[in-house]
Amino acid sequence: RTTNRLLAELGARMGNDRDGTLTIDPTTVTSHVAPYELVRTMRASVLVLGPLLAKFGRAEVSLPGGCAIGSRPVDQHIKGLQSLGAEITVEGGYIKASTPGGRLRGARHVFDIVSVGATENVLMAATLAQGTSVLENAAMEPE
């Protein structure tokens, strides 16, 4: 539910079919800001950082919360996006990212540690980056 609310807040069109299938249309996303009220409740909300940055050339995502297993850093997310050319600051409780020149660029990035979330975030951002990206020491979950 939180993910649905976050995506709707960003502008995605959400719909439920009669058979219970949820349909998400991200082509209508217009906002590059993921608000604290939603991101604080679920750590996985930080996963909109890479896609918003890739789509808009800028993103503002509240530092995440809501992790039942304790505090977990987002440094691997930030380092990975920086390797793709993002300029990132953390201020006022928000991760603020931008791409000088308007677009991420492909790069080789080696994660310091294996991180599923960081791998997902950087991988999604890299899909719209100009050029080729190679991610090393990336998570390789069976899912």
Side-chain angles (χ1 to χ4, degrees), residues 43-123:
R43 177 176 170 71
S45 297
V46 76
L47 293 178
V48 300
L49 178 63
L52 291 175
L53 179 61
K55 179 177 174 113
F56 294 110
R58 60 190 175 146
E60 292 183 32
V61 178
S62 170
L63 288 167
C67 183
I69 64 173
S71 177
R72 295 180 358 202
V74 293
D75 63 316
Q76 295 302 304
H77 300 251
I78 292 171
K79 288 178 182 179
L81 294 170
Q82 286 173 326
S83 73
L84 297 177
E87 291 182 356
I88 299 179
T89 60
V90 178
E91 55 188 67
Y94 276 80
I95 303 167
K96 297 182 178 186
S98 63
T99 55
R103 192 161 178 201
L104 295 171
R105 61 182 183 279
R108 177 181 175 268
H109 178 72
V110 181
F111 289 96
D112 297 334
I113 60 169
V114 175
S115 168
V116 173
T119 297
E120 293 168 336
N121 222 344
V122 176
L123 182 64

Side-chain angles (χ1 to χ4, degrees), residues 116-140:
V116 173
T119 297
E120 293 168 336
N121 222 344
V122 176
L123 182 64
M124 288 186 284
T127 63
L128 292 180
Q130 185 174 6
T132 300
S133 294
V134 176
L135 305 181
E136 295 184 30
N137 199 33
M140 296 186 295

Side-chain angles (χ1 to χ4, degrees), residues 3-15 22-31 48 52 55-56:
T3 300
N4 290 353
R5 287 179 48 215
L6 176 58
L7 294 175
E9 178 77 21
L10 293 171
R13 194 170 326 149
M14 313 291 285
L22 173 64
T23 303
I24 302 169
D25 178 3
T27 62
T28 58
V29 170
T30 56
S31 177
V48 300
L52 291 175
K55 179 177 174 113
F56 294 110

